[in-house]
Amino acid sequence: MTQRPTEEPPRQVRPHPADATRSGPSPEPPEPVDVDPAVLSALLRRHGWQRRGGAPGRYGRWTPPGPGSGTSLLVPESRAFPDSDDLLGEALLALSRSGSPSAREVLLSLAVPSDEIRWWHDVPAGPAGAASWTVEDRLRGAARRTLLAAALATRARAGYHGARHRRSAAAALENVLVGSATDGRLTAFVPVAAGRPLTVRLHHALYAAREAIDYQRATGGMDAFDAAVEAGVSHELTEALVALVRGTEGARIAVEWAPAAGVPEGCAPSAEPVEFSPGDLAVLREAGARYLREEPAVPVRITGAVVRLRRSGPRGDGTVRLRVLAGADVPNVRITLDEEAYRIAGHAHLVGLPVRVQGRLESRGGFRRLTGAHGVVPVQVDDAERDRLMKELHENIDFFEEACGGD
């Protein structure tokens, strides 16, 4: 039997607006009154601009990165002088007219205070004309997996998340903006208001993973990976790091805090990027397999709508698929039921009622199977929910003919 997908495809983080207008103008600048001169200077420095003089204590002259990079900016150091707002306005207008990617990134960070996560990977030089877009696509894919692993770790500490919490974690990435992957570098902007727990968790998890790898390589023991779970390390994160490093000469990840929001408690104000090398791959793979193997089953009581019924004959045990409504943060589960429980589930479905069932959510298969199922009972719902379930039955009636037996 062909298995139907049991969960929604993962949502993607949104591309940086500059991706769609890489050769066009930058975003509209904010009003000078809304910009802290110290924050603007910090962002310019972060994005490669260099201060080259200016009146000490009054303003600085900043030049953009790269050769032949255009007009410099005069940025006041504070609002202590009457012309500060005028200088800020001129600097912001110049940034908006610049074609430099760094100018667009500075304006974005001013508009929405964001922590920045940066990835670099060092890829061996290929033959002239090689399709570099495939390398960039791999970098973006590894970055998305890293962000999803961090979002999962904000929901629960687990060595293996599987399908659990995946929908809410993916939803948390909807406001993350990701820039274009160029020259082996990629930046994601995570809004502080909604996303700081994610960046803090990733910051701690990366250092914990690095320390656990170093411990294993020095002692041969994997014990440090057990403690690293509390910091946010998981099967999903180790797999993301493998995807980032595989096929490269090394990779780095750095978290930089939004200057407007300050440094979160318990985090380093300025930290070097965390580095991973091809020599770490064997340890990362071993840790990922260990997390997958050792994550325990979870006792649950699930309420769900029956969306599929199957058994090989008119009598005996059968398999039921539930769309989970409550009791576990997974979209669907499969359950094998005895004849009486299967009959109850079938009748409940035919009259538009969900069922409640107890059992153990197994880690094998991604927490999509419930074993030891017992106590199957119909659950009363309001008329609106019952009508919706009945509509779903009629729209998918061919899926449920198997409930009567046979293939």
Side-chain angles (χ1 to χ4, degrees):
M1 179 183 70
T2 301
Q3 185 70 21
R4 294 180 182 270
T6 57
E7 62 178 280
E8 306 170 344
R11 307 180 206 183
Q12 303 293 341
V13 292
R14 291 193 290 143
H16 191 298
D19 274 1
T21 58
R22 291 178 65 179
S23 59
S26 293
E28 286 297 315
E31 293 298 323
V33 70
D34 297 326
V35 175
D36 183 338
V39 169
L40 175 56
S41 296
L43 289 171
L44 290 170
R45 182 178 295 107
R46 173 178 296 177
H47 290 276
W49 292 62
Q50 295 186 15
R51 179 169 178 168
R52 301 187 183 277
R58 185 165 182 176
Y59 63 83
R61 183 177 294 278
W62 293 85
T63 58
S69 43
T71 308
S72 61
L73 307 178
L74 290 180
V75 179
E77 294 188 6
S78 69
R79 297 185 180 276
F81 297 93
D83 61 349
S84 295
D85 280 349
D86 291 338
L87 290 176
L88 273 175
E90 292 171 4
L92 294 169
L93 182 60
L95 284 171
S96 70
R97 292 176 174 175
S98 171
S100 166
S102 66
R104 290 191 285 271
E105 291 180 349
V106 169
L107 286 175
L108 177 64
S109 294
L110 286 173
V112 180
S114 301
D115 296 324
E116 297 177 25
I117 303 171
R118 301 182 188 278
W119 294 261
W120 298 264
H121 65 184
D122 304 318
V123 180
S132 61
W133 64 267
T134 58
V135 175
E136 294 179 1
D137 192 55
R138 289 200 336 251
L139 177 59
R140 293 181 70 89
R144 290 189 187 102
R145 294 176 70 171
T146 306
L147 292 170
L148 181 60
L152 287 167
T154 65
R155 269 67 187 163
R157 304 291 192 274
Y160 173 50
H161 296 279
R164 295 179 296 172
H165 307 285
R166 192 163 290 261
R167 287 179 296 185
S168 61
L173 302 183
E174 289 182 345
N175 293 321
V176 176
L177 303 179
V178 178
S180 55
T182 55
D183 299 324
R185 172 180 172 270
L186 179 69
T187 303
F189 298 82
V190 184
V192 171
R196 175 145 279 188
L198 184 153
T199 47
V200 169
R201 184 53 49 210
L202 181 60
H203 172 81
H204 290 308
L206 290 173
Y207 280 96
R210 180 68 264 170
E211 291 171 2
I213 293 169
D214 293 341
Y215 179 84
Q216 194 282 336
R217 296 180 71 174
T219 67
M222 298 291 290
D223 298 348
F225 280 100
D226 296 335
V229 170
E230 187 59 31
V233 182
S234 64
H235 170 82
E236 286 76 8
L237 181 63
T238 59
E239 289 292 292
L241 295 176
V242 167
L244 177 66
V245 176
R246 186 177 53 233
T248 74
E249 296 175 345
R252 304 179 300 284
I253 307 176
V255 175
E256 296 180 320
W257 311 113
V263 179
E265 184 179 356
C267 296
S270 179
E272 292 296 317
V274 184
E275 299 189 16
F276 300 93
S277 72
D280 299 326
L281 288 174
V283 181
L284 286 168
R285 290 189 176 108
E286 182 181 355
R290 188 168 183 264
Y291 285 140
L292 185 62
R293 183 174 62 249
E294 297 187 0
E295 186 67 20
V298 181
V300 292
R301 186 172 70 167
I302 288 175
T303 301
V306 178
V307 295
R308 188 156 189 173
L309 295 145
R310 171 178 285 274
R311 62 182 173 184
S312 57
R315 297 187 179 280
D317 296 352
T319 300
V320 174
R321 184 184 299 170
L322 297 185
R323 178 170 55 81
V324 176
L325 304 175
D329 197 344
V330 295
N332 300 276
V333 295
R334 289 168 58 87
I335 314 170
T336 298
L337 299 175
D338 62 27
E339 183 173 351
E340 178 62 18
Y342 185 85
R343 183 186 63 78
I344 293 171
H347 285 178
H349 175 74
L350 292 173
V351 297
L353 292 177
V355 296
R356 182 176 296 126
V357 57
Q358 299 182 56
R360 295 180 65 80
L361 200 59
E362 291 289 337
S363 61
R364 289 174 297 175
F367 294 97
R368 298 184 182 94
R369 180 177 291 276
L370 196 73
T371 60
H374 62 281
V376 178
V377 294
V379 178
Q380 292 295 328
V381 294
D382 60 37
D383 291 342
E385 176 68 7
R386 182 167 176 166
D387 289 345
R388 190 182 63 76
L389 292 171
M390 289 298 293
K391 181 181 178 182
E392 184 174 288
L393 166 64
H394 291 298
E395 289 175 348
N396 300 278
I397 191 67
D398 56 318
F399 292 169
F400 306 104
E401 292 176 351
E402 297 152 359
C404 299
D407 283 337

